[in-house]
Amino acid sequence: SSDVCSSDLNELLGRRIKELRSAKNFTQEQMATQIGVSRQKYARLESGINSITLDLLSKIAKILDVTVA
């Protein structure tokens, strides 16, 4: 079993969210507004600087129309 440190995981999640958001042509602003955070905080989620809470993750998943596996 490989140890994934949480910062790597945040980065992977952020990158995946960014890909999905881009595919839907949403801006960071639109996403931030819909999940109720500032654009700055949202940008930090995508860049993996801030860890994503399950609550935010499920909101993002709903907007991007994906399931959280």
Side-chain angles (χ1 to χ4, degrees):
S1 67
S2 60
D3 282 339
V4 179
C5 78
S6 63
S7 66
D8 284 355
L9 196 59
N10 289 336
E11 224 172 281
L12 279 172
L13 264 175
R15 200 174 307 141
R16 185 77 183 115
I17 290 167
K18 188 176 186 173
E19 284 168 9
L20 292 165
R21 172 179 65 78
S22 298
K24 293 232 182 256
N25 294 312
F26 288 142
T27 65
Q28 286 188 338
E29 238 112 18
Q30 290 170 313
M31 291 295 295
T33 303
Q34 292 199 61
I35 64 171
V37 298
S38 67
R39 194 200 63 77
Q40 286 85 348
K41 181 172 180 175
Y42 181 80
R44 289 197 295 269
L45 294 175
E46 272 191 7
S47 58
I49 296 166
N50 284 17
S51 51
I52 302 172
T53 63
L54 203 53
D55 182 46
L56 282 181
L57 194 57
S58 56
K59 285 179 183 173
I60 291 169
K62 202 171 284 177
I63 295 162
L64 297 175
D65 200 27
V66 292
T67 53
V68 179

